[in-house]
Amino acid sequence: MTKGGMESVEVFTSEGKGRGLKAQKEFLPGDVIFAEPAYAAVVFDSLTHVICHTCFKRQERLHRCGQCKFAYYCDRTCQRAAWLNHKNECSAIKKHGKAPTENIRLAARIMWKIEREGSGLAEGCLVSIDDLQNHVDNFGEEEKKELRADVESFLEFWPPQSQQFGMQYISHIFGVVRRCNGFTLSDQRGLQAVGVGIFPNLCQANHDCWPNCTVIFNNGNHEAVRSMFHTQMRIELRALSKISPGDELTVSYVDFLNVSEERRKQLKKQYYFDCACEHCKKQIKDDLMLAVKQGESKPSAETVKEVIQFSKDTLEKINKARMEGLYHEVVKLCRECLKKQEPVLGDTNIYLLRILSIASEVLSYLQMFEEAADYAKRMVDGYLKIYHPNNAQLGMAVMRAGVTHWHAGLIEAGHGLICKAYAILLITHGPSHPITKDLEVMRVQTEMELRMFQQNEFMYYKMREAALKNQKIQVMPEPSNETSPSLFHKKE
């Protein structure tokens, strides 16, 4: 079954998985298999005043809706584009006195769209909202209690003049919103999760820990003078490897940087299925992720257990210190942990890699670039042995390491890492994504600096020193307290 603009994919029944998507033609790495606008989307509650409610871009100065005083937009163009979806919401917020939570807002937007267009197949959709899985029958007692609270809040917010829906249908919509179907939306740099959207076609793609596709959020572009050149906010399903006609299209719902048992637990808890992918069944890469030092100095099982527990305890302390903005304390904890880990854990051990990642990020923010670069290089070396070669998170980590080396004055290594990151993100994000465009600028700049360095190393460092004296060095982004977001958003 195919529908408007989706001729390259087909919904089919996947053995043991239910519905799935399969390719109707051949795709090569980096090809866009399909792009899909959101059926409905909202900004997270904590970011409603700093993120545009149309394109989900972060902006310093936003224009507030003059009616409800709740929604914010980049400019009049974004505000006009939002009006169809915001009109009912705007009126309801005014009458209610305040905006409800993101769950309520998203469910309301879905039902206002159903009121306008019906619940059947929307244009370009392979399945209807009614056909999406809600997993309400799998909810535990606590989840059922939260569901009842959501439904009660929704009924208080929902205007009496709007179409009235039955309790069972409202529960279905909240099941769709709460579990598995909400895709996490990021800002224009892909650095922070800022909202959640429903994309019915994307929901049909099944999980695989080593997928052949990735999903990237594209905020669209409303900056062109003529509206005919504007592009819509959308997700893009992109091929990571060669895909033949008839192959199932899979994405990863969780970060691969976990042993198979932990990934399966996470998938069972959040998505209600037992992962049977090849990497989980055969525990592929688990040996690398749990690697310990080998040879004469191989540690005992008891020593390994103690160091792993120490690492877990330290990660909890680090998370607390990061939440409080105590970044020098974070660095101290990382150094202490690495001192314990290095004689015991292998270079690809996930607990070592997690500490290296945090240390390099925080040290870069504190402008201690040389130490940060050392940790970043070790982190990338480990990641390259574990991740799929075209993994988006690998590309972002390599980019970060390249920028850190560049700031440290290690131009040869920095340029090499930036080129490697650019090659990965060309496939995962495409050439027009803001991150890829930024990387292209950095690639050209570091290539120019590298040529200068190779011609006259002394003169390169003199010019670099002079430039840094005359120009305030760019501060790296403040370290995020978030772990890598899951592909699909789960309301905690």
Side-chain angles (χ1 to χ4, degrees):
M1 177 180 120
T2 61
K3 189 174 176 64
M6 301 293 294
E7 293 80 9
S8 59
V9 299
E10 180 182 11
V11 175
F12 78 114
T13 301
S14 179
E15 186 176 351
K17 300 180 186 178
R19 285 193 303 257
L21 293 179
K22 66 179 178 182
Q24 293 281 77
K25 66 175 190 177
E26 180 179 273
F27 294 99
L28 298 177
D31 283 350
V32 177
I33 298 169
F34 67 77
E36 180 182 10
Y39 186 90
V42 295
V43 176
F44 286 149
D45 293 337
S46 59
L47 300 170
T48 54
H49 60 296
V50 294
I51 300 295
C52 174
H53 289 219
T54 296
C55 67
F56 291 77
K57 291 180 181 177
R58 179 183 288 275
Q59 304 285 5
E60 287 187 11
R61 297 183 66 182
L62 293 169
H63 300 267
R64 188 170 68 168
C65 174
Q67 297 295 313
C68 65
K69 314 293 185 187
F70 169 74
Y72 286 80
Y73 304 100
C74 296
D75 49 33
R76 292 290 182 191
T77 303
C78 278
Q79 189 166 8
R80 282 194 296 269
W83 185 240
L84 179 64
N85 291 315
H86 179 57
K87 181 179 179 181
N88 295 108
E89 177 186 70
C90 184
S91 174
I93 289 172
K94 282 196 296 181
K95 289 182 179 177
H96 190 58
K98 63 178 182 178
T101 63
E102 64 208 37
N103 258 18
I104 311 300
R105 289 187 285 118
L106 184 56
R109 284 194 166 209
I110 291 171
M111 285 189 261
W112 274 314
K113 184 160 185 171
I114 291 170
E115 182 180 54
R116 289 195 309 270
E117 302 176 5
S119 60
L121 281 178
E123 183 181 356
C125 284
L126 299 171
V127 295
S128 70
I129 286 290
D130 291 357
D131 290 331
L132 294 181
Q133 288 184 305
N134 59 50
H135 291 292
V136 170
D137 292 340
N138 299 108
F139 281 15
E141 283 306 312
E142 187 62 32
E143 290 169 315
K144 289 178 180 176
K145 183 179 177 182
E146 292 170 357
L147 175 63
R148 287 193 292 269
D150 273 348
V151 171
E152 187 176 322
S153 297
F154 170 81
L155 291 172
E156 290 175 4
F157 174 69
W158 188 248
Q161 70 271 20
S162 291
Q163 180 180 339
Q164 298 304 304
F165 296 90
M167 292 294 286
Q168 187 174 351
Y169 193 76
I170 296 172
S171 296
H172 164 73
I173 295 298
F174 274 102
V176 166
V177 166
R178 292 186 65 87
R179 309 299 294 197
C180 312
N181 295 292
F183 177 76
T184 303
L185 309 180
S186 59
D187 61 12
Q188 64 269 41
R189 300 297 170 194
L191 300 176
Q192 183 185 15
V194 298
V196 58
I198 298 294
F199 299 83
N201 295 335
L202 174 62
C203 293
Q204 305 314 301
N206 284 317
H207 165 84
D208 194 295
C209 291
W210 201 259
N212 57 13
C213 298
T214 190
V215 183
I216 296 298
F217 179 60
N218 190 316
N219 300 81
N221 179 15
H222 291 164
E223 294 173 5
V225 175
R226 299 179 65 181
S227 60
M228 65 182 291
F229 296 114
H230 292 174
T231 56
Q232 193 174 15
M233 178 195 81
R234 62 198 182 276
I235 58 93
E236 295 173 349
L237 186 71
R238 291 179 165 269
L240 293 179
S241 54
K242 183 179 177 181
I243 297 171
S244 300
D247 286 353
E248 181 172 7
L249 304 172
T250 57
V251 296
S252 181
Y253 294 178
V254 296
D255 185 10
F256 184 70
L257 202 67
N258 254 321
V259 294
S260 53
E261 182 183 359
E262 290 302 315
R263 292 197 307 272
R264 294 183 81 178
K265 283 181 183 176
Q266 185 181 354
L267 290 163
K268 182 68 173 178
K269 180 181 179 182
Q270 188 167 340
Y271 303 105
Y272 305 108
F273 69 87
D274 296 304
C275 185
C277 77
E278 184 180 12
H279 275 66
C280 281
K281 285 192 293 187
K282 297 181 179 179
Q283 300 181 329
I284 298 172
K285 305 268 188 177
D286 280 11
D287 56 336
L288 288 174
M289 293 193 231
L290 297 176
V292 298
K293 293 290 185 183
Q294 297 298 314
E296 294 179 7
S297 59
K298 183 177 180 179
S300 66
E302 187 59 34
T303 300
V304 172
K305 185 178 178 181
E306 288 175 5
V307 171
I308 294 296
Q309 188 56 53
F310 181 83
S311 301
K312 290 179 178 178
D313 294 342
T314 301
L315 284 166
E316 288 186 11
K317 293 176 184 176
I318 286 172
N319 286 337
K320 186 174 184 295
R322 289 175 83 175
M323 291 292 289
E324 296 171 1
L326 304 174
Y327 296 123
H328 287 282
E329 178 65 18
V330 170
V331 171
K332 178 185 172 186
L333 288 166
C334 287
R335 287 171 177 158
E336 289 173 355
C337 193
L338 287 168
K339 192 174 180 180
K340 289 260 191 185
Q341 290 177 332
E342 285 164 346
V344 177
L345 304 183
D347 294 339
T348 56
N349 189 287
I350 53 175
Y351 293 101
L352 175 67
L353 294 177
R354 285 169 185 162
I355 297 296
L356 290 172
S357 175
I358 294 167
S360 64
E361 183 183 7
V362 174
L363 284 164
S364 292
Y365 175 69
L366 297 174
Q367 298 189 23
M368 301 164 73
F369 293 117
E370 288 187 19
E371 186 180 358
D374 175 60
Y375 293 148
K377 178 65 167 61
R378 291 167 61 191
M379 171 194 73
V380 165
D381 287 345
Y383 282 1
L384 287 168
K385 294 174 183 175
I386 292 175
Y387 275 119
H388 187 290
N390 290 331
N391 181 282
Q393 285 171 286
L394 170 64
M396 296 292 285
V398 176
M399 178 181 73
R400 198 179 84 205
V403 173
T404 301
H405 280 74
W406 185 18
H407 280 315
L410 304 170
I411 188 63
E412 290 176 294
H415 178 67
L417 288 164
I418 285 170
C419 287
K420 187 183 290 289
Y422 184 65
I424 296 171
L425 295 186
L426 270 178
I427 291 172
T428 61
H429 289 63
S432 63
H433 196 282
I435 296 174
T436 318
K437 287 182 176 179
D438 285 350
L439 259 180
E440 169 63 4
V441 172
M442 287 189 272
R443 188 187 67 79
V444 172
Q445 176 68 23
T446 54
E447 184 177 351
M448 181 183 69
E449 290 186 23
L450 180 58
R451 280 202 217 101
M452 188 187 302
F453 173 83
Q454 290 169 337
Q455 289 168 3
N456 191 323
E457 186 175 334
F458 175 77
M459 185 57 67
Y460 168 75
Y461 282 116
K462 278 291 183 185
M463 291 182 69
R464 184 175 185 275
E465 184 181 346
L468 291 177
K469 282 181 180 177
N470 294 326
Q471 182 179 341
K472 187 178 179 182
I473 194 164
Q474 184 180 358
V475 177
M476 301 289 276
E478 187 170 356
S480 170
N481 293 321
E482 301 174 357
T483 55
S484 298
S486 297
L487 172 64
F488 291 104
H489 172 73
K490 174 195 172 186
K491 178 69 176 177
E492 298 294 345

